[in-house]
Amino acid sequence: MTDSRPFSAAFHHVSISVADLDAQQRWYQEALGLDEVVECFELPEPPVRTTVLRGSGGLQVELIERAGSGRVREFDDPLDASRDRGYGHWAIAVDDLAHAFAHLTEAGGTPVWPPAPAVRPGARFAYVKDPEGNLIELIEGPHAD
């Protein structure tokens, strides 16, 4: 019989397939401050290289480069991404949305949606794309007055 008790779960990392591991690693290290290289892995067949990066706040991103990979299609924004099933974007909490949005776009990210009010009262959000077109949502929670 299967144990039906709930289990404890916590976010571990997001994995992003990339065309250029070295360039994307530099961008994520510089733009998001993911300075710690947790692990690197390489396979000869299929030709795959991976790097897991971690920031001081615990955020982890795994970048995977596979020779010959391609993008099925690029999304213009998160509403466009919702046309296809599966993952459309990943999101990070930030304490200063305007600063984070400006910093990421100045670092080579593409602005998608500028900072705007979110559904949750007092919260705000924005979207950017990394240099390879992957959507990242920035979320600033409501601030106490």
Side-chain angles (χ1 to χ4, degrees):
M1 177 156 215
T2 304
D3 186 350
S4 62
R5 291 178 297 156
F7 57 90
S8 175
F11 181 79
H12 190 270
H13 73 273
V14 63
S15 176
I16 304 169
S17 178
V18 300
D20 186 335
L21 178 65
D22 299 324
Q24 286 292 87
Q25 179 175 337
R26 279 190 303 277
W27 190 81
Y28 277 88
Q29 287 175 317
E30 294 169 9
L32 286 176
L34 303 178
D35 297 328
E36 181 184 353
V37 176
V38 176
E39 69 181 45
C40 295
F41 181 73
E42 193 166 340
L43 285 174
E45 278 304 316
V48 170
R49 296 188 312 143
T50 71
T51 297
V52 177
L53 304 171
R54 180 172 36 219
S56 61
L59 176 64
Q60 290 193 143
V61 174
E62 177 182 26
L63 303 172
I64 302 175
E65 174 193 82
R66 180 174 176 162
S69 68
R71 184 179 297 278
V72 175
R73 73 182 192 99
E74 187 169 321
F75 304 119
D76 294 328
D77 58 46
L79 295 179
D80 185 33
S82 69
R83 293 176 190 260
D84 292 345
R85 293 184 185 156
Y87 296 100
H89 71 272
W90 65 287
I92 56 175
V94 299
D95 59 358
D96 183 337
L97 181 64
H99 174 73
F101 185 79
H103 177 77
L104 292 178
T105 56
E106 289 168 9
T110 303
V112 175
W113 284 359
V119 173
R120 185 174 176 199
R124 295 169 36 84
F125 76 103
Y127 281 88
V128 299
K129 288 183 180 180
D130 74 13
E132 288 192 6
N134 299 298
L135 284 166
I136 304 169
E137 182 178 10
L138 309 172
I139 301 172
E140 179 185 81
H143 296 288
D145 292 331

